[in-house]
Amino acid sequence: MHPFGELSGQRRRLGEALRAARANVGLSGEGLAERLGISQSRVSRIELGQQAAPTDLVRRWAEVTETSEDRSAELVRLAEGAGTVAVVLRAARPRGLVQLQRDSLDFEATAETILEFDPVIVPGLLQVPEYARRIFTAGKPSHDTAEIAAAVAGRMDRQLALYEGATRYEFVITEAALRWWVGPPKVMLAQLDRITALAELNSVQVGVIPLDTEVGAWHEHGFAVFEDRPDDDPAVTIETQTSQVTTTDPLEVAFYRDAFVRLREVALHGPEADALLRRIREGLLRAQSGR
């Protein structure tokens, strides 16, 4: 399901059309799944519009259900459009910041590998509570204190997965994201300490791109790639100030995966990253002491 619990209209229409094609030839969901080589639960999710169907699977679905060439082409066009879902955050936010965190938690649980790049802020899964609180407050100052506190708690709950070791996390962030003060020096110092501690976990890798590094990869905004999803296709999420886009389109996923690999290649890791974090920390300590 989409991370904000929204179903794409195109995805629903595709699911209904595929279900009709199956029913026309008298196949059960289990029988179709066996002939396609996928699970019955995946057939169900596709037909309900809860999961995108890649175009190659739609073509095979059409062949198995003896769908005409013209109708098959229509189904493929629907699949191409249903592979990307955009959720307008201002429409989703009435459900509450806490529920949005739960939706993100559920979506993250579908992947065994998560690759995340952020050029301007520390990724949510690495944030300390006060940093997260200030991010939530900046995003929507009208939220009341109790809701923001609950959302921060929800974000901290998401971070528990970092310690469980079931999912592998790779983060690439920029030096600029670490030098941009979301709060006073004490907040940023706590944030640097948190990143250093999390980078020591076996399931977490953190890379930092220095400001003076030439970057030959597209890096205009942040994104996350969700790989190794046993019950679904790889996906990418891109969040802006007003919406979140989730796509399972193979070409889009490949683009962002390649971008992440190239960004990771120019990032510092291990001792080199630690040395950069120490330099940033020294500057924060000087600022804190007023020197």
Side-chain angles (χ1 to χ4, degrees):
M1 184 174 288
H2 188 270
F4 293 114
E6 308 289 341
L7 295 180
S8 158
Q10 284 181 299
R11 197 173 287 187
R12 284 196 300 270
R13 289 193 294 275
L14 174 62
E16 291 166 359
L18 292 175
R19 182 170 61 250
R22 173 178 62 78
N24 285 340
V25 293
L27 268 177
S28 66
E30 188 174 286
L32 177 65
E34 183 176 352
R35 296 178 72 171
L36 291 175
I38 62 177
S39 67
Q40 189 276 329
S41 61
R42 187 177 184 190
V43 168
S44 178
R45 288 194 299 274
I46 289 172
E47 291 186 348
L48 291 171
Q50 294 176 344
Q51 179 178 330
T55 54
D56 60 340
L57 177 60
V58 170
R59 289 190 182 94
R60 287 192 289 124
W61 192 304
E63 290 174 5
V64 169
T65 57
E66 302 173 8
T67 302
S68 69
E69 287 188 14
D70 288 346
R71 183 56 174 161
S72 176
E74 290 177 13
L75 293 175
V76 169
R77 284 194 292 272
L78 267 178
E80 290 171 343
T84 299
V85 176
V87 172
V88 178
L89 293 182
R90 65 175 177 272
R93 278 183 176 130
R95 298 171 59 230
L97 287 174
V98 178
Q99 186 58 50
L100 294 180
Q101 291 302 302
R102 289 173 183 159
D103 291 341
S104 294
L105 174 64
D106 291 342
F107 193 66
E108 288 158 359
T110 68
E112 295 176 1
T113 302
I114 297 176
L115 315 173
E116 184 167 352
F117 166 70
D118 207 310
V120 292
I121 63 171
V122 173
L125 288 172
L126 301 180
Q127 292 174 6
V128 294
E130 180 59 17
Y131 189 105
R133 186 189 69 79
R134 289 170 180 269
I135 291 294
F136 283 126
T137 302
K140 192 69 182 295
S142 63
H143 284 301
D144 61 43
T145 302
E147 183 177 12
I148 289 178
V152 170
R155 178 158 289 179
M156 297 305 106
D157 286 344
R158 287 170 54 201
Q159 295 180 7
L160 294 175
L162 297 172
Y163 300 91
E164 294 170 355
T167 301
R168 181 174 65 88
Y169 300 85
E170 288 192 47
F171 300 95
V172 172
I173 54 183
T174 66
E175 180 181 350
L178 301 177
R179 289 190 180 277
W180 193 344
W181 290 14
V182 169
K186 66 177 182 179
V187 173
M188 301 308 298
L189 285 166
Q191 185 58 71
L192 289 178
D193 290 342
R194 182 61 163 271
I195 292 171
T196 300
L198 291 175
E200 295 179 357
L201 296 175
N202 291 332
S203 60
V204 177
Q205 183 178 90
V206 179
V208 183
I209 301 177
L211 284 169
D212 59 359
T213 296
E214 182 176 338
V215 180
W218 171 94
H219 56 288
E220 192 172 31
H221 58 69
F223 59 88
V225 183
F226 298 82
E227 302 265 40
D228 305 320
R229 303 174 73 204
D231 297 321
D232 212 333
D233 300 306
V236 171
T237 61
I238 307 108
E239 186 171 333
T240 70
Q241 285 290 316
T242 58
S243 65
Q244 173 155 331
V245 176
T246 300
T247 179
T248 56
D249 179 272
L251 293 177
E252 293 283 324
V253 173
F255 174 87
Y256 283 101
R257 185 188 295 118
D258 176 69
F260 185 87
V261 169
R262 288 188 287 151
L263 290 163
R264 180 176 58 197
E265 287 174 350
V266 298
L268 302 179
H269 295 85
E272 291 182 319
D274 289 342
L276 176 55
L277 292 180
R278 282 196 299 272
R279 291 196 295 273
I280 298 173
R281 184 179 288 106
E282 288 167 1
L284 287 167
L285 289 170
R286 287 195 296 271
Q288 189 175 45
S289 65
R291 290 181 299 185

